[in-house]
Amino acid sequence: MKNIILCGYNWAGCKSLDLLLSRKYNIFVYTHESPWYVNNLLEFCNSKKVKFSTEKITTNNLPFLPDVVTSIYYRHVIDQDIIDIVNKKIFNLHPSLLPEYKGCSSLTWAIINGEINCGFTYHYIQKEVDKGNIIFQLEEKIYEFDTQQSLYSRIMFKSLEYFNEVLDMVIAGNPGKEQPNKGIFYKRGCPHDGELDKKWDINKQKRFIKAMINPPLDPAKFEGKNIFSFEDLKNI
């Protein structure tokens, strides 16, 4: 029986655990406390009698020596000693077509920047964030009517359809392929602090409003006012 550690959170973390349970592995989960509007992996672990911790994964708190570690929406950077102890069989799901849009809010930035396509990437974890070899990636269209909420949900649902396939590749020792260039990196935090700039062209203003739509998080703002649509902005 394989020993698998899932570092997860949100819907994607819950779905990953659901898929792992179907394979009858020995599983331990590292996760986070969830606000009311985020799918609760702690509750799901309890219902399935899966042991878990809300501490950051470290070599000092491992429940067993894992064969594989997978990171699905985990919010901590995993340290090198964990990468070493699992013999580099550790992989992450990232919602962009790496090497582009490393870091945070990748799909949000893709909408703001007017990208036509986005996607997701499963990649090996190494010390540098989002720079490990690519195991699998798939391109998806960004529609004109997409919001942050719809695009993120669609990409996550699609990406987890390939979770078992990628896990098998990692277990088999597939090395993946090196990322072709440095790409770009976005730091953690709301793009432009959520503030719309009327100096932007109209199309970017419209995209920014859509990119901020993910209730109950705050919408776009302008001069301290909530902007839910372009009509709201026109009326200021």
Side-chain angles (χ1 to χ4, degrees):
M1 178 183 290
K2 295 290 185 185
N3 290 325
I4 306 291
I5 286 179
L6 167 64
C7 300
Y9 182 64
N10 213 312
W11 180 89
C14 293
K15 182 58 179 176
S16 300
L17 177 57
D18 185 53
L19 292 168
L20 289 171
L21 288 168
S22 69
R23 297 173 69 127
K24 304 187 186 304
Y25 290 149
N26 183 28
I27 306 165
F28 188 87
V29 172
Y30 290 90
T31 187
H32 315 279
E33 298 284 349
S34 299
W36 63 269
Y37 54 87
V38 171
N39 306 74
N40 196 320
L41 183 52
L42 295 180
E43 285 187 358
F44 190 47
C45 286
N46 279 325
S47 71
K48 297 300 181 182
K49 297 180 171 55
V50 173
K51 294 181 179 179
F52 65 88
S53 174
T54 55
E55 295 181 349
K56 178 183 175 180
I57 182 173
T58 69
T59 53
N60 293 326
N61 62 22
L62 287 175
F64 45 66
L65 183 62
D67 295 296
V68 176
V69 174
T70 178
S71 171
I72 308 293
Y73 205 120
Y74 193 52
R75 298 173 68 81
H76 293 306
V77 175
I78 297 176
D79 297 328
Q80 185 65 44
D81 54 358
I82 294 293
I83 298 171
D84 294 338
I85 204 169
V86 77
N87 196 26
K88 298 182 180 179
K89 287 191 175 183
I90 176 170
F91 70 98
N92 177 59
L93 168 61
H94 184 71
S96 83
L97 295 172
L98 292 174
E100 302 304 330
Y101 292 93
K102 293 179 172 69
C104 298
S105 304
S106 52
L107 296 175
T108 307
W109 278 110
I111 294 175
I112 293 168
N113 292 342
E115 301 289 357
I116 298 172
N117 297 305
C118 61
F120 63 87
T121 304
Y122 284 96
H123 66 96
Y124 284 105
I125 293 175
Q126 62 179 43
K127 184 177 181 181
E128 297 85 1
V129 174
D130 296 334
K131 290 187 178 181
N133 283 10
I134 294 168
I135 307 165
F136 179 87
Q137 61 184 182
L138 189 70
E139 184 176 281
E140 289 287 313
K141 184 176 180 179
I142 300 177
Y143 294 102
E144 181 180 348
F145 49 81
D146 264 320
T147 65
Q148 177 191 154
Q149 184 180 56
S150 66
L151 182 60
Y152 179 78
S153 296
R154 185 156 53 83
I155 293 300
M156 287 296 101
F157 292 163
K158 189 68 175 179
S159 65
L160 269 295
E161 292 178 9
Y162 295 88
F163 178 82
N164 278 328
E165 180 180 335
V166 172
L167 178 58
D168 287 336
M169 293 169 71
V170 173
I171 291 172
N174 186 312
K177 61 179 181 180
E178 187 176 348
Q179 295 190 35
N181 57 61
K182 291 182 178 180
I184 52 177
F185 179 90
Y186 290 91
K187 65 181 181 179
R188 180 165 289 180
C190 185
H192 301 293
D193 295 323
E195 288 287 330
L196 189 148
D197 190 336
K198 275 202 168 181
K199 294 178 182 177
W200 298 336
D201 66 66
I202 289 176
N203 287 329
K204 183 172 181 178
Q205 292 175 28
K206 289 179 177 179
R207 293 196 305 268
F208 187 79
I209 293 167
K210 290 186 174 73
M212 292 295 105
I213 296 176
N214 191 4
L217 302 179
D218 289 339
K221 294 186 181 297
F222 181 73
E223 295 182 346
K225 296 181 180 179
N226 288 338
I227 305 297
F228 297 100
S229 69
F230 189 65
E231 289 300 314
D232 291 340
L233 185 63
K234 287 167 60 177
N235 292 330
I236 294 178

